[in-house]
Amino acid sequence: MNFNFPVDSLNQLQTPFYFYDMALLNATLDSVKKEAGSYGFKVHYAVKANANDRILSTIKDAGFGADCVSGNEVKKALETGFGASGVVFAGVGKADWEINLGLDNDIACFNVESIPELEIINELAEKKGKVAKVALRINPNVNANTHHYITTGLEENKFGINQWDLENVIDALAKLKNVELEGLHFHIGSQITDLMSFKDLCLRVNELQKWFISHQICPKVVNVGGGLGIDYEQPDSSSIPDFKSFFKLFDELLELKPGQELHFELGRSMVGQCGALLSKVLYVKNGVNTKFAIVDAGMSDLIRPALYQAYHKIENLTSNKPSAKYDVVGPICESSDCFGKAVDLPETGRGDLIAIRSAGAYGEIMANRYNLRELPLAYYSDEI
Ligand SMILES: *Cc1c(COP(=O)(O)O)cnc(C)c1O
């Protein structure tokens, strides 16, 4: 299904803004539900990808849980109506107030990333007379083959418990009375397009499960995190990621023990394609070897190109003239404020409406007020 731009209506609105195709979002969520559901897998949506109210409540209504990485995300998930039993809380640096918030609300699970954290959760839970459910986030040392800023499952990364520490962790667990081991948790990175990385993850999880079982431990839940990538090059022809192959791979390769549940935490793949950043061309100016199309959106609205050298497809929605090449840049005082170099666009001029595609994940949520710019607004296909 293609993203639908109601160009005439969008052209009336003050730019820049995010525009969400709610039909595409719903079709994507349906696909996740169908494919994960066919194996009985449970999916928690990674709130950090996009916590916009409408997006979040649509995902809640579709029946997914919430994967949170901060106290405020936990709060937001609960306020949105995700039940506490569907809220899991990961993060390498949980502050005491964030842990207390999770304890007070009896969230489903804390994904614990170190022994000191485990001890603090135990201590805070003891003060409340509670037993916290925890999953061990294990660093599987699997290469996600993605940008190094979004690789999280290598031993050199700050995330998770390394394998050499596991013996100490289970010793600690045996002593700590206010934490209960609920699961094993993994997350190897983001924007993973080669399913072989997930295959490597499955094989590592199988090995680790054997190790736990040899220590008489068989947690109820195996959580393999998120990371499934989207096609930034072809947002229309592959608007819905191949969830079928993704879940099938885990079904085939990951050896669950009797009674074990398999959980996922998808972010980008659920919301990435349903959003676009809309912007208008302010000026076109000639550079030395290039023409600059200077648009009214900047890296404060969408930071991914500047932060991760990320590619986003750029389209001119209002010109159909013969094409030329442009560097599409924003107004912010940083040379990294560039959405694309040598982009093929129909001849572009002041006032043209530009769409920066595949911006539904890690777009609006990462917007900031650098240069004291306003935060971008959001509009939805079913309200326009
Ligand atoms: C970011 C994150 C996710 C989601 O990653 P995507 O690539 O957006 O699917 C899942 N789990 C954890 C722990 C995360 O930090």
Side-chain angles (χ1 to χ4, degrees):
M1 127 172 228
N2 280 9
F3 194 107
N4 179 33
F5 287 108
V7 176
D8 289 342
S9 317
L10 295 178
N11 224 349
Q12 311 302 314
L13 301 168
Q14 176 69 45
T15 48
F17 57 85
Y18 278 88
F19 177 64
Y20 294 103
D21 183 335
M22 300 306 280
L24 178 55
L25 174 62
N26 281 308
T28 308
L29 299 180
D30 284 347
S31 174
V32 179
K33 229 175 2 183
K34 172 167 169 267
E35 304 302 342
S38 73
Y39 302 110
F41 299 160
K42 182 161 184 177
V43 177
H44 294 87
Y45 165 65
V47 173
K48 76 171 190 281
N50 188 323
N52 166 306
D53 285 341
R54 274 222 57 200
I55 301 288
L56 210 49
S57 55
T58 303
I59 293 171
K60 188 267 298 177
D61 290 343
F64 296 98
D67 163 45
C68 303
V69 289
S70 74
N72 282 348
E73 282 191 3
V74 170
K75 220 186 275 179
K76 179 88 185 180
L78 294 169
E79 283 165 8
T80 304
F82 289 91
S85 64
V87 172
V88 298
F89 183 10
V92 69
K94 301 179 190 74
D96 294 17
W97 75 266
E98 297 178 302
I99 295 169
N100 280 326
L101 179 80
L103 290 169
D104 288 340
N105 288 286
D106 298 313
I107 60 166
C109 197
F110 292 87
N111 295 340
V112 173
E113 309 220 4
S114 66
I115 295 178
E117 183 195 338
L118 191 64
E119 290 168 348
I120 294 298
I121 294 176
N122 183 71
E123 186 184 315
L124 296 175
E126 188 179 5
K127 282 195 190 134
K128 294 180 186 293
K130 293 193 171 189
V131 176
K133 287 193 214 150
V134 299
L136 301 176
R137 175 164 181 183
I138 300 172
N139 187 324
N141 200 23
V142 165
N143 195 342
N145 298 306
T146 182
H147 191 278
H148 59 285
Y149 281 9
I150 49 177
T151 293
T152 57
L154 288 175
E155 280 172 357
E156 70 215 48
N157 301 131
K158 69 180 175 181
F159 299 99
I161 297 166
N162 283 318
Q163 207 192 335
W164 63 77
D165 233 2
L166 286 179
E167 201 91 44
N168 296 328
V169 173
I170 58 174
D171 288 349
L173 274 171
K175 293 194 198 97
L176 303 174
K177 297 301 168 214
N178 294 79
V179 287
E180 182 187 330
L181 184 62
E182 169 90 353
L184 304 180
H185 176 230
F186 307 86
H187 175 66
I188 58 172
S190 199
Q191 184 51 19
I192 299 168
T193 50
D194 181 359
L195 287 185
M196 289 307 282
S197 297
F198 292 115
K199 180 184 171 195
D200 292 345
L201 173 62
C202 288
L203 302 181
R204 282 293 289 137
V205 173
N206 292 344
E207 284 172 21
L208 285 160
Q209 287 246 77
K210 284 198 186 101
W211 185 89
F212 276 94
I213 283 170
S214 74
H215 290 75
Q216 285 77 49
I217 296 173
C218 183
K220 191 177 99 188
V221 173
V222 175
N223 178 341
V224 288
L228 178 63
I230 62 171
D231 191 341
Y232 283 95
E233 314 271 338
Q234 301 182 76
D236 284 315
S237 60
S238 42
S239 60
I240 299 181
D242 184 2
F243 295 113
K244 192 184 185 79
S245 305
F246 176 71
F247 290 117
K248 182 162 178 274
L249 178 136
F250 284 91
D251 178 63
E252 285 175 358
L253 295 177
L254 201 137
E255 294 161 9
L256 287 181
K257 306 301 165 194
Q260 262 186 341
E261 295 173 17
L262 187 56
H263 292 191
F264 292 81
E265 301 166 338
L266 298 176
R268 185 191 312 271
S269 54
M270 288 169 70
V271 295
Q273 297 292 26
C274 76
L277 177 61
L278 278 283
S279 178
K280 278 194 176 156
V281 176
L282 294 170
Y283 310 102
V284 173
K285 90 172 183 184
N286 289 318
V288 180
N289 295 314
T290 183
K291 276 191 275 210
F292 292 106
I294 303 166
V295 300
D296 63 5
M299 64 191 278
S300 59
D301 304 296
L302 176 66
I303 202 173
R304 296 191 67 261
L307 186 60
Y308 309 124
Q309 298 149 330
Y311 171 83
H312 285 264
K313 186 171 185 191
I314 301 174
E315 292 169 345
N316 183 330
L317 300 181
T318 46
S319 164
N320 49 20
K321 298 183 187 141
S323 80
K325 284 202 193 302
Y326 298 87
D327 284 8
V328 178
V329 300
I332 291 175
C333 307
E334 300 283 342
S335 295
S336 57
D337 185 27
C338 173
F339 291 114
K341 285 197 187 305
V343 182
D344 257 314
L345 290 175
E347 192 185 325
T348 292
R350 178 173 168 84
D352 284 354
L353 188 63
I354 299 290
I356 303 173
R357 303 292 307 276
S358 313
Y362 308 105
E364 189 185 358
I365 193 70
M366 283 184 151
N368 61 72
R369 293 208 52 210
Y370 186 41
N371 287 193
L372 280 186
R373 289 167 54 79
E374 297 299 330
L375 290 173
L377 296 174
Y379 296 98
Y380 311 89
S381 57
D382 56 358
E383 288 179 1
I384 223 163

